[in-house]
Amino acid sequence: MKIERMVVLGLPAAALAGLILFTYFSYRDDMIAAEARVSIGSQIVDTPCGPIEYALIGKGTPVLLAHGAGGGFDQGLEFGRPLAERGFTVIAMSRFGYLRTPMPADASPAAQAAAHACLLDALKLPRAAILGGSAGAPSAIEFCLRHAKRCSAMALLVPAFFPPGAPPARPSFMSDAILGSDFFFWVNMKLARDTVLERLFATPARDFHNAPREEQERVLRIMRGALPLSRRRKGLWNDLAIVASSPRYELERISSPTLVIGIEDDLFGIYRSSRSAAERIPGARFASFPTGGHLWVGRQDEVVSELTGFLNQPAAGKRAEFIRRAPSISARRDPRTRSRAPLKSLHRNQARFPCCREFRSSWCTCRPRPASCRN
């Protein structure tokens, strides 16, 4: 009887030990793969602004890609590959504190903008368009302000900056804990993916589940691509500090053709600041989508189409234009989405939106909006 009891009690212990071993080896294998992924495909150039890691893909008009928080050259390649496939040379750099680009004493957006110019010098490129994604927007803005002659065009994709008086919410304790550890991030990715998606990547889980399979896979690549966080942590904390400080940008002085893309249900709450930025930049074009979150899940083709159209014809950005895309069919059927009116009701409601001068089957174009339309 005593022996049988020992055997029974030993089963949970054996199962727990097996689970621990499985978790350890799974984590180890994923981290080895992540380290291998960021160890190839890039190079480092010494510049007056310090060493800068970068990668080049594609052939055509140069586009410098300033990645977002938690990124690096690898995230830049993920975001920039569709542009490279459409006839652009994508320069995907690791900004200050990310991967093999060191963190200098001055890592302000202005200093990062100087590093952008230094990288172009090293590549012998007199000018380039710049794409600032999320937390890469501040340095992209400063680049076009401080090095205007070298900025042929600027695109801001879900730009993570806030107007004065509207600072972002502070990260929660859980967010701090997850971002501070490769293992905690990995475990939460496995056990609480939807929570990580919403709290750290600001993308509604319902948008993810409503998206096509290929879009879900793209978002999962981006989430997994944050590893190893330990090699991005200095840059990540620096980006969070910059965004939280709500710096004032002299957007009215930007002379480059500009496109700003915002997502209405971005859980970082930056949609209004994105629209406000577009209104302040002379002649900027603003394109918005009702769903998709910070990672624009389900909107990849539309976002890439906006970017390529703008970059192929940068002069079009000189005309003030506001574009609001209609929700996808799946989003319109979801009663939880904010845009519940059927698409054809846009025509019936034209009198309610005097700012819209033209209605089409899937979007309306407004230029420039009177104060009564800026809700």
Side-chain angles (χ1 to χ4, degrees):
M1 186 68 159
K2 188 174 182 180
I3 295 177
E4 290 179 355
R5 185 179 301 173
M6 290 177 62
V7 172
V8 171
L9 292 175
L11 286 177
L16 179 60
L19 179 61
I20 291 173
L21 285 175
F22 175 79
T23 301
Y24 168 77
F25 285 115
S26 296
Y27 171 68
R28 185 196 65 175
D29 291 347
D30 284 354
M31 288 303 299
I32 290 174
E35 289 284 353
R37 177 173 51 78
V38 299
S39 298
I40 59 174
S42 68
Q43 50 191 314
I44 297 177
V45 60
D46 288 321
T47 75
C49 302
I52 300 175
E53 181 181 30
Y54 74 98
L56 295 175
I57 54 172
K59 292 183 179 180
T61 304
V63 179
L64 178 63
L65 206 153
H67 63 77
F73 82 91
D74 54 333
Q75 186 188 88
L77 292 179
E78 174 68 34
F79 291 171
R81 191 164 287 110
L83 297 178
E85 294 170 353
R86 288 162 174 79
F88 297 92
T89 296
V90 173
I91 308 162
M93 66 183 302
S94 296
R95 295 191 291 106
F96 290 155
Y98 287 99
L99 300 178
R100 295 194 291 168
T101 298
M103 175 69 76
D106 179 6
S108 64
Q112 293 190 51
H116 298 343
C118 284
L119 179 56
L120 294 185
D121 288 340
L123 297 176
K124 296 179 170 53
L125 291 172
R127 303 179 77 213
I130 187 166
L131 168 57
S134 189
S139 64
I141 290 170
E142 291 287 5
F143 175 72
C144 290
L145 282 171
R146 297 170 181 268
H147 308 274
K149 293 182 179 180
R150 310 198 66 177
C151 179
S152 61
M154 178 176 68
L156 302 178
L157 179 56
V158 291
F161 63 89
F162 295 75
R170 294 183 59 82
S172 65
F173 173 79
M174 187 191 82
S175 299
D176 285 339
I178 294 174
L179 291 174
S181 166
D182 284 332
F183 180 71
F184 284 155
F185 180 83
W186 180 86
V187 167
N188 278 275
M189 274 281 297
K190 298 292 185 181
L191 302 180
R193 185 187 65 193
D194 286 358
T195 300
V196 171
L197 181 64
E198 293 195 341
R199 296 199 179 186
L200 298 185
F201 293 91
T203 298
R206 66 170 179 267
D207 289 356
F208 174 83
H209 294 298
N210 286 337
R213 177 78 176 186
E214 61 271 17
E215 273 291 88
Q216 293 182 2
E217 292 174 353
R218 178 183 66 85
V219 168
L220 291 176
R221 283 198 307 272
I222 294 172
M223 296 174 70
R224 290 192 296 264
L227 291 170
L229 273 175
S230 53
R231 294 184 59 182
R232 312 174 198 265
R233 191 166 296 127
K234 291 181 179 180
L236 175 59
W237 294 135
N238 183 61
D239 280 341
L240 292 178
I242 289 172
V243 171
S245 67
S246 298
R248 172 77 181 181
Y249 302 101
E250 298 182 43
L251 301 177
E252 292 81 4
R253 292 200 302 108
I254 292 177
S255 58
S256 306
T258 300
L259 168 68
V260 182
I261 298 178
I263 310 295
E264 291 184 36
D265 68 351
D266 188 320
L267 297 181
F268 283 142
I270 58 176
Y271 174 77
R272 289 190 177 183
S273 63
S274 301
R275 180 167 185 148
S276 174
E279 292 174 342
R280 290 175 56 202
I281 298 172
R285 178 180 172 195
F286 181 70
S288 72
F289 301 90
T291 61
H294 197 63
L295 298 181
W296 61 94
V297 61
R299 303 289 182 179
Q300 173 75 344
D301 290 343
E302 294 164 286
V303 167
V304 171
S305 177
E306 288 287 347
L307 290 171
T308 53
F310 170 74
L311 293 171
N312 278 323
Q313 297 178 341
K318 294 179 180 178
R319 179 168 57 89
E321 188 174 18
F322 291 82
I323 300 176
R324 184 186 184 279
R325 297 296 181 184
S328 62
I329 294 176
S330 59
R332 277 181 276 151
R333 289 177 178 172
D334 187 346
R336 295 169 294 184
T337 57
R338 298 162 73 185
S339 300
R340 301 180 183 179
L343 185 59
K344 54 188 177 183
S345 69
L346 289 174
H347 298 275
R348 301 193 198 105
N349 294 334
Q350 184 168 358
R352 295 175 53 197
F353 300 96
C355 57
C356 291
R357 304 182 66 179
E358 180 181 3
F359 279 79
R360 299 186 183 179
S361 59
S362 61
W363 52 271
C364 74
T365 301
C366 311
R367 65 152 114 169
R369 292 184 170 225
S372 61
C373 295
R374 296 171 188 170
N375 296 322

Coordinates of all heavy atoms in Angstrom, one line a residue, residues 54-139:
Y54 N 22.8 47.9 -40.7 CA 21.8 48.1 -41.7 C 21.8 46.9 -42.7 O 22.7 46.1 -42.7 CB 22.1 49.4 -42.5 CG 23.2 49.3 -43.5 CD1 23.0 49.1 -44.9 CD2 24.5 49.5 -43.1 CE1 24.1 49.0 -45.7 CE2 25.6 49.4 -43.9 CZ 25.4 49.1 -45.3 OH 26.4 49.0 -46.2
A55 N 20.8 46.8 -43.5 CA 20.6 45.8 -44.5 C 20.0 46.5 -45.7 O 19.2 47.4 -45.6 CB 19.8 44.6 -44.0
L56 N 20.3 46.0 -46.9 CA 19.7 46.5 -48.1 C 19.0 45.4 -48.9 O 19.5 44.3 -49.0 CB 20.8 47.1 -49.1 CG 21.6 48.4 -48.6 CD1 22.7 48.7 -49.6 CD2 20.7 49.5 -48.5
I57 N 17.8 45.7 -49.4 CA 17.1 44.8 -50.3 C 16.4 45.6 -51.4 O 16.0 46.8 -51.2 CB 16.1 44.0 -49.5 CG1 15.1 44.8 -48.7 CG2 16.7 42.9 -48.6 CD1 13.9 44.1 -48.2
G58 N 16.3 45.0 -52.5 CA 15.6 45.6 -53.6 C 16.4 46.6 -54.5 O 17.6 46.8 -54.1
K59 N 15.9 47.0 -55.6 CA 16.5 47.9 -56.5 C 15.5 49.0 -56.9 O 14.4 48.7 -57.3 CB 17.1 47.2 -57.7 CG 18.2 46.3 -57.4 CD 18.8 45.6 -58.7 CE 19.9 44.7 -58.4 NZ 20.5 44.1 -59.6
G60 N 16.0 50.2 -56.9 CA 15.1 51.3 -57.3 C 15.3 52.5 -56.4 O 16.3 52.8 -55.8
T61 N 14.3 53.3 -56.3 CA 14.3 54.5 -55.5 C 14.6 54.2 -54.1 O 13.9 53.3 -53.5 CB 12.9 55.3 -55.6 OG1 12.6 55.6 -57.0 CG2 13.0 56.6 -54.8
P62 N 15.6 54.8 -53.4 CA 15.9 54.5 -52.0 C 14.9 55.0 -51.0 O 14.4 56.1 -51.1 CB 17.3 55.2 -51.8 CG 17.2 56.3 -52.8 CD 16.5 55.9 -54.0
V63 N 14.6 54.1 -50.1 CA 13.6 54.4 -49.0 C 14.3 53.9 -47.7 O 14.6 52.8 -47.5 CB 12.3 53.6 -49.2 CG1 11.4 53.9 -48.0 CG2 11.6 54.0 -50.5
L64 N 14.6 54.9 -46.9 CA 15.2 54.6 -45.5 C 14.1 54.3 -44.6 O 13.1 55.0 -44.4 CB 16.0 55.8 -45.1 CG 16.6 55.7 -43.7 CD1 17.7 54.6 -43.7 CD2 17.2 57.1 -43.3
L65 N 14.2 53.1 -43.9 CA 13.1 52.7 -43.0 C 13.6 52.8 -41.6 O 14.5 52.1 -41.2 CB 12.7 51.2 -43.4 CG 11.3 50.8 -43.0 CD1 10.8 49.7 -43.9 CD2 11.2 50.4 -41.6
A66 N 12.9 53.6 -40.8 CA 13.1 53.8 -39.4 C 12.1 53.0 -38.6 O 10.9 53.3 -38.6 CB 13.0 55.3 -39.0
H67 N 12.5 51.9 -38.1 CA 11.6 50.9 -37.5 C 11.0 51.4 -36.2 O 11.5 52.4 -35.6 CB 12.4 49.6 -37.2 CG 13.5 49.7 -36.2 ND1 13.4 49.8 -34.9 CD2 14.9 49.9 -36.4 CE1 14.5 50.0 -34.3 NE2 15.5 50.0 -35.2
G68 N 10.1 50.6 -35.7 CA 9.4 51.0 -34.5 C 10.0 50.4 -33.2 O 11.1 49.8 -33.3
A69 N 9.4 50.6 -32.1 CA 9.9 50.1 -30.8 C 10.0 48.6 -30.8 O 9.1 47.9 -31.3 CB 9.0 50.6 -29.6
G70 N 11.1 48.1 -30.2 CA 11.3 46.6 -30.2 C 11.7 46.1 -31.5 O 11.7 44.9 -31.7
G71 N 12.2 47.0 -32.4 CA 12.6 46.5 -33.8 C 14.1 46.3 -33.9 O 14.8 45.9 -33.1
G72 N 14.5 46.7 -35.1 CA 15.9 46.5 -35.6 C 15.9 46.3 -37.1 O 14.8 46.4 -37.7
F73 N 17.0 46.1 -37.7 CA 17.0 45.9 -39.1 C 16.1 44.8 -39.6 O 15.5 44.9 -40.7 CB 18.5 45.7 -39.6 CG 18.9 44.2 -39.5 CD1 18.7 43.3 -40.5 CD2 19.5 43.7 -38.3 CE1 19.1 42.0 -40.4 CE2 19.9 42.4 -38.2 CZ 19.7 41.5 -39.3
D74 N 15.9 43.8 -38.7 CA 15.1 42.6 -39.1 C 13.6 43.0 -39.2 O 12.9 42.6 -40.2 CB 15.3 41.5 -38.2 CG 15.0 41.9 -36.7 OD1 15.3 43.0 -36.4 OD2 14.7 41.0 -35.9
Q75 N 13.2 43.9 -38.3 CA 11.8 44.4 -38.4 C 11.7 45.3 -39.6 O 10.6 45.3 -40.3 CB 11.4 45.2 -37.1 CG 10.0 45.6 -37.1 CD 9.7 46.5 -35.9 OE1 9.8 47.7 -36.1 NE2 9.3 46.0 -34.8
G76 N 12.7 46.1 -39.9 CA 12.7 46.9 -41.1 C 12.6 46.1 -42.4 O 11.8 46.5 -43.3
L77 N 13.2 44.9 -42.4 CA 13.1 44.1 -43.6 C 11.7 43.5 -43.7 O 11.2 43.4 -44.8 CB 14.2 42.9 -43.5 CG 15.6 43.3 -43.6 CD1 16.5 42.1 -43.5 CD2 15.9 44.0 -45.0
E78 N 11.1 43.1 -42.6 CA 9.8 42.6 -42.6 C 8.8 43.6 -43.1 O 7.9 43.3 -44.0 CB 9.3 42.2 -41.2 CG 7.9 41.7 -41.0 CD 7.6 40.4 -41.7 OE1 8.5 39.6 -41.8 OE2 6.5 40.3 -42.3
F79 N 8.9 44.9 -42.7 CA 8.0 45.9 -43.1 C 8.3 46.4 -44.6 O 7.5 46.7 -45.3 CB 8.1 47.1 -42.2 CG 7.5 46.9 -40.8 CD1 7.7 47.9 -39.8 CD2 6.8 45.8 -40.5 CE1 7.2 47.7 -38.6 CE2 6.3 45.6 -39.3 CZ 6.5 46.5 -38.3
G80 N 9.6 46.3 -44.9 CA 10.1 46.9 -46.2 C 10.1 45.9 -47.4 O 10.2 46.4 -48.5
R81 N 10.0 44.6 -47.1 CA 10.1 43.6 -48.2 C 9.0 43.9 -49.3 O 9.3 43.8 -50.5 CB 10.0 42.2 -47.6 CG 10.3 41.2 -48.6 CD 10.6 39.8 -48.0 NE 11.9 39.8 -47.3 CZ 12.1 39.8 -46.0 NH1 11.0 39.8 -45.2 NH2 13.3 39.8 -45.4
P82 N 7.8 44.2 -48.9 CA 6.8 44.5 -50.0 C 7.2 45.6 -50.9 O 6.9 45.7 -52.1 CB 5.5 44.7 -49.2 CG 5.7 44.0 -47.9 CD 7.1 44.2 -47.6
L83 N 7.8 46.7 -50.3 CA 8.3 47.8 -51.1 C 9.4 47.4 -52.0 O 9.5 47.8 -53.2 CB 8.7 48.9 -50.2 CG 7.7 49.6 -49.3 CD1 8.3 50.6 -48.4 CD2 6.5 50.1 -50.1
A84 N 10.3 46.5 -51.5 CA 11.4 46.1 -52.3 C 10.9 45.3 -53.5 O 11.5 45.3 -54.6 CB 12.4 45.2 -51.5
E85 N 9.8 44.5 -53.3 CA 9.3 43.7 -54.4 C 8.6 44.6 -55.4 O 8.2 44.1 -56.5 CB 8.3 42.7 -53.8 CG 8.9 41.7 -52.9 CD 7.9 40.8 -52.2 OE1 6.7 41.2 -52.2 OE2 8.3 39.9 -51.5
R86 N 8.3 45.9 -55.1 CA 7.6 46.8 -56.0 C 8.5 47.9 -56.6 O 8.1 48.9 -57.0 CB 6.4 47.4 -55.3 CG 5.3 46.4 -55.1 CD 4.3 46.9 -54.0 NE 3.2 46.0 -53.9 CZ 3.2 44.8 -53.2 NH1 4.3 44.4 -52.6 NH2 2.1 44.1 -53.1
G87 N 9.8 47.6 -56.5 CA 10.8 48.5 -57.2 C 11.4 49.6 -56.4 O 11.8 50.6 -57.0
F88 N 11.6 49.3 -55.1 CA 12.3 50.3 -54.3 C 13.5 49.6 -53.6 O 13.5 48.4 -53.4 CB 11.4 50.8 -53.2 CG 10.2 51.6 -53.6 CD1 9.0 51.0 -53.9 CD2 10.3 53.0 -53.9 CE1 7.9 51.7 -54.4 CE2 9.2 53.7 -54.4 CZ 8.0 53.0 -54.6
T89 N 14.6 50.4 -53.3 CA 15.7 50.0 -52.5 C 15.4 50.3 -51.1 O 15.3 51.5 -50.7 CB 17.0 50.6 -53.0 OG1 17.3 50.2 -54.3 CG2 18.1 50.2 -52.0
V90 N 15.2 49.3 -50.3 CA 14.9 49.5 -48.9 C 16.2 49.5 -48.0 O 16.9 48.5 -48.1 CB 13.9 48.5 -48.4 CG1 13.7 48.6 -46.8 CG2 12.5 48.6 -49.1
I91 N 16.4 50.5 -47.3 CA 17.5 50.6 -46.4 C 17.0 50.4 -45.0 O 16.4 51.3 -44.4 CB 18.2 52.0 -46.5 CG1 18.6 52.3 -47.9 CG2 19.5 52.0 -45.6 CD1 18.9 53.8 -48.2
A92 N 17.1 49.2 -44.5 CA 16.6 48.8 -43.1 C 17.7 48.9 -42.1 O 18.7 48.1 -42.1 CB 16.0 47.4 -43.2
M93 N 17.6 49.9 -41.2 CA 18.7 50.2 -40.3 C 18.2 49.7 -38.9 O 17.0 49.6 -38.6 CB 19.1 51.6 -40.2 CG 17.9 52.5 -39.7 SD 18.4 54.3 -39.8 CE 19.8 54.3 -38.7
S94 N 19.2 49.5 -38.0 CA 18.9 49.3 -36.6 C 19.1 50.7 -35.9 O 20.3 51.2 -35.9 CB 19.8 48.2 -35.9 OG 19.5 47.0 -36.5
R95 N 18.1 51.3 -35.3 CA 18.3 52.6 -34.7 C 19.1 52.4 -33.4 O 19.4 51.3 -32.9 CB 16.9 53.2 -34.4 CG 16.2 53.6 -35.7 CD 15.0 54.5 -35.5 NE 13.9 53.8 -34.8 CZ 13.6 54.0 -33.5 NH1 14.3 54.8 -32.8 NH2 12.6 53.3 -33.0
F96 N 19.3 53.5 -32.7 CA 20.2 53.5 -31.5 C 19.7 52.5 -30.5 O 18.5 52.5 -30.1 CB 20.2 54.9 -30.8 CG 20.9 56.0 -31.6 CD1 20.6 57.3 -31.5 CD2 21.9 55.6 -32.5 CE1 21.3 58.3 -32.2 CE2 22.6 56.6 -33.2 CZ 22.3 57.9 -33.0
G97 N 20.6 51.7 -30.0 CA 20.2 50.7 -28.9 C 19.6 49.4 -29.3 O 19.2 48.6 -28.5
Y98 N 19.5 49.3 -30.6 CA 18.9 48.0 -31.2 C 19.9 47.2 -31.8 O 20.7 47.6 -32.7 CB 17.8 48.4 -32.2 CG 16.5 48.9 -31.5 CD1 16.3 50.3 -31.5 CD2 15.6 48.0 -30.9 CE1 15.1 50.8 -30.9 CE2 14.4 48.5 -30.4 CZ 14.2 49.9 -30.3 OH 13.1 50.4 -29.7
L99 N 20.0 45.9 -31.4 CA 20.9 44.9 -32.0 C 22.3 45.4 -32.0 O 22.8 45.7 -30.9 CB 20.4 44.5 -33.4 CG 19.0 43.9 -33.4 CD1 18.5 43.6 -34.8 CD2 18.9 42.7 -32.5
R100 N 22.9 45.6 -33.1 CA 24.4 45.9 -33.2 C 24.7 47.4 -33.3 O 25.8 47.8 -33.5 CB 25.1 45.1 -34.3 CG 25.1 43.6 -34.0 CD 26.1 42.9 -34.9 NE 25.7 42.9 -36.3 CZ 26.4 42.6 -37.3 NH1 27.7 42.2 -37.1 NH2 26.0 42.6 -38.5
T101 N 23.6 48.2 -33.3 CA 23.9 49.7 -33.2 C 23.9 50.1 -31.8 O 22.9 50.0 -31.1 CB 22.7 50.4 -34.0 OG1 22.7 50.0 -35.4 CG2 23.0 51.9 -33.9
P102 N 25.0 50.7 -31.3 CA 25.1 51.0 -29.9 C 24.3 52.2 -29.5 O 23.8 53.0 -30.4 CB 26.6 51.3 -29.7 CG 27.1 51.7 -31.1 CD 26.3 50.9 -32.1
M103 N 24.1 52.3 -28.2 CA 23.3 53.5 -27.7 C 24.3 54.6 -27.3 O 25.1 54.4 -26.4 CB 22.6 53.0 -26.4 CG 21.8 54.2 -25.7 SD 20.5 54.8 -26.6 CE 19.3 53.5 -26.4
P104 N 24.3 55.7 -28.0 CA 25.2 56.8 -27.6 C 24.7 57.6 -26.4 O 23.5 57.4 -25.9 CB 25.1 57.7 -28.9 CG 23.8 57.5 -29.4 CD 23.4 56.1 -29.1
A105 N 25.5 58.6 -26.0 CA 25.0 59.4 -24.9 C 23.8 60.2 -25.2 O 22.9 60.4 -24.4 CB 26.2 60.3 -24.4
D106 N 23.8 60.7 -26.5 CA 22.6 61.5 -26.9 C 21.9 60.6 -27.9 O 22.3 60.4 -29.0 CB 23.1 62.8 -27.6 CG 21.9 63.6 -28.2 OD1 20.8 63.2 -27.9 OD2 22.2 64.6 -28.9
A107 N 20.7 60.1 -27.5 CA 19.9 59.3 -28.4 C 18.6 59.9 -28.7 O 17.6 59.2 -28.9 CB 19.7 57.9 -27.7
S108 N 18.6 61.2 -28.7 CA 17.3 62.0 -29.0 C 16.9 61.8 -30.5 O 17.7 61.3 -31.3 CB 17.6 63.5 -28.7 OG 18.5 64.0 -29.7
P109 N 15.6 62.1 -30.8 CA 15.2 62.0 -32.2 C 16.1 62.8 -33.1 O 16.4 62.4 -34.3 CB 13.8 62.6 -32.1 CG 13.3 62.2 -30.8 CD 14.5 62.4 -29.9
A110 N 16.6 64.0 -32.7 CA 17.5 64.8 -33.5 C 18.8 64.1 -33.8 O 19.3 64.1 -34.9 CB 17.7 66.2 -32.8
A111 N 19.3 63.5 -32.7 CA 20.6 62.7 -32.9 C 20.4 61.5 -33.8 O 21.2 61.2 -34.7 CB 21.1 62.3 -31.6
Q112 N 19.2 60.9 -33.7 CA 18.9 59.7 -34.6 C 18.7 60.2 -36.0 O 19.1 59.5 -37.0 CB 17.7 59.0 -34.1 CG 17.9 58.3 -32.8 CD 16.7 57.4 -32.4 OE1 16.3 56.6 -33.2 NE2 16.2 57.5 -31.2
A113 N 18.2 61.4 -36.2 CA 18.0 62.0 -37.6 C 19.4 62.2 -38.2 O 19.6 62.0 -39.4 CB 17.2 63.3 -37.5
A114 N 20.4 62.7 -37.3 CA 21.7 62.9 -37.8 C 22.3 61.6 -38.3 O 23.1 61.5 -39.3 CB 22.6 63.6 -36.8
A115 N 22.0 60.5 -37.5 CA 22.5 59.2 -37.9 C 21.9 58.7 -39.2 O 22.6 58.0 -40.0 CB 22.2 58.2 -36.8
H116 N 20.6 59.0 -39.4 CA 20.0 58.7 -40.7 C 20.9 59.4 -41.9 O 21.2 58.7 -42.9 CB 18.6 59.2 -40.8 CG 17.7 58.6 -39.8 ND1 18.0 57.4 -39.1 CD2 16.4 59.0 -39.4 CE1 17.0 57.1 -38.3 NE2 16.0 58.0 -38.4
A117 N 21.2 60.6 -41.7 CA 22.0 61.4 -42.7 C 23.4 60.7 -42.8 O 23.9 60.6 -43.9 CB 22.1 62.8 -42.3
C118 N 24.0 60.4 -41.7 CA 25.3 59.7 -41.8 C 25.3 58.4 -42.5 O 26.2 58.1 -43.3 CB 25.8 59.5 -40.3 SG 26.4 60.9 -39.5
L119 N 24.2 57.7 -42.4 CA 24.1 56.4 -43.1 C 23.9 56.7 -44.6 O 24.5 56.0 -45.4 CB 22.9 55.6 -42.6 CG 22.6 54.3 -43.3 CD1 23.8 53.3 -43.2 CD2 21.4 53.6 -42.6
L120 N 23.2 57.7 -45.0 CA 23.1 58.0 -46.4 C 24.4 58.4 -46.9 O 24.8 58.1 -48.1 CB 22.0 59.1 -46.6 CG 20.6 58.8 -46.3 CD1 19.7 59.9 -46.7 CD2 20.1 57.5 -47.0
D121 N 25.2 59.2 -46.1 CA 26.5 59.6 -46.6 C 27.4 58.3 -46.8 O 28.1 58.2 -47.8 CB 27.2 60.4 -45.5 CG 26.6 61.8 -45.4 OD1 26.0 62.3 -46.4 OD2 26.8 62.5 -44.4
A122 N 27.3 57.4 -45.9 CA 28.1 56.1 -46.0 C 27.7 55.4 -47.3 O 28.6 54.7 -47.9 CB 28.0 55.3 -44.8
L123 N 26.4 55.4 -47.6 CA 26.0 54.7 -48.8 C 26.0 55.5 -50.1 O 25.6 55.1 -51.1 CB 24.5 54.3 -48.6 CG 24.3 53.3 -47.4 CD1 22.8 53.1 -47.2 CD2 25.0 52.0 -47.6
K124 N 26.6 56.8 -49.9 CA 26.8 57.7 -51.1 C 25.4 58.0 -51.7 O 25.3 58.0 -53.0 CB 27.8 57.2 -52.1 CG 29.2 57.1 -51.5 CD 30.1 56.5 -52.5 CE 31.6 56.6 -52.0 NZ 31.8 56.0 -50.7
L125 N 24.4 58.3 -50.9 CA 23.1 58.6 -51.4 C 22.8 60.1 -51.0 O 22.7 60.4 -49.8 CB 22.0 57.7 -50.8 CG 22.0 56.2 -51.3 CD1 21.1 55.4 -50.4 CD2 21.7 56.1 -52.7
P126 N 22.6 60.9 -52.0 CA 22.3 62.3 -51.7 C 21.0 62.6 -51.0 O 20.8 63.4 -50.2 CB 22.5 63.1 -53.0 CG 22.2 62.0 -54.0 CD 22.7 60.7 -53.5
R127 N 20.0 61.7 -51.5 CA 18.6 61.9 -51.0 C 17.9 60.5 -50.9 O 18.3 59.6 -51.5 CB 17.8 62.8 -51.9 CG 18.3 64.2 -52.2 CD 17.4 64.9 -53.1 NE 16.2 65.4 -52.5 CZ 15.0 65.5 -53.0 NH1 14.8 65.1 -54.3 NH2 14.0 66.0 -52.4
A128 N 16.9 60.5 -50.1 CA 16.1 59.3 -49.9 C 14.7 59.7 -49.3 O 14.6 60.7 -48.6 CB 16.8 58.3 -49.1
A129 N 13.7 58.9 -49.6 CA 12.4 58.9 -48.9 C 12.6 58.2 -47.6 O 13.5 57.4 -47.5 CB 11.3 58.3 -49.7
I130 N 11.9 58.6 -46.6 CA 12.0 58.0 -45.3 C 10.6 57.5 -44.9 O 9.6 58.2 -45.0 CB 12.6 58.9 -44.3 CG1 12.9 58.1 -43.0 CG2 11.8 60.2 -44.0 CD1 13.8 58.9 -42.0
L131 N 10.6 56.3 -44.3 CA 9.4 55.7 -43.8 C 9.6 55.5 -42.3 O 10.4 54.7 -41.9 CB 9.1 54.4 -44.5 CG 8.0 53.5 -43.8 CD1 6.7 54.2 -43.7 CD2 7.8 52.2 -44.6
G132 N 8.8 56.2 -41.5 CA 8.9 56.1 -40.0 C 7.8 55.3 -39.5 O 6.6 55.8 -39.6
G133 N 8.0 54.1 -39.0 CA 6.9 53.3 -38.4 C 6.9 53.4 -36.9 O 7.9 53.3 -36.2
S134 N 5.7 53.8 -36.4 CA 5.5 53.8 -35.0 C 6.5 54.7 -34.3 O 6.6 55.9 -34.5 CB 5.5 52.4 -34.4 OG 5.1 52.3 -33.1
A135 N 7.3 54.1 -33.4 CA 8.3 54.9 -32.7 C 9.5 55.4 -33.5 O 10.3 56.1 -33.1 CB 8.9 54.1 -31.5
G136 N 9.5 55.0 -34.8 CA 10.5 55.5 -35.7 C 10.1 56.8 -36.3 O 10.9 57.5 -37.0
A137 N 8.8 57.3 -36.1 CA 8.3 58.5 -36.6 C 9.1 59.7 -36.1 O 9.4 60.6 -36.9 CB 6.8 58.7 -36.3
P138 N 9.4 59.9 -34.8 CA 10.1 61.1 -34.3 C 11.4 61.3 -35.1 O 11.6 62.5 -35.5 CB 10.3 60.8 -32.8 CG 9.2 59.9 -32.5 CD 9.0 59.0 -33.7
S139 N 12.2 60.3 -35.3 CA 13.5 60.5 -36.0 C 13.2 60.8 -37.5 O 14.0 61.6 -38.1 CB 14.4 59.4 -35.8 OG 13.9 58.2 -36.4

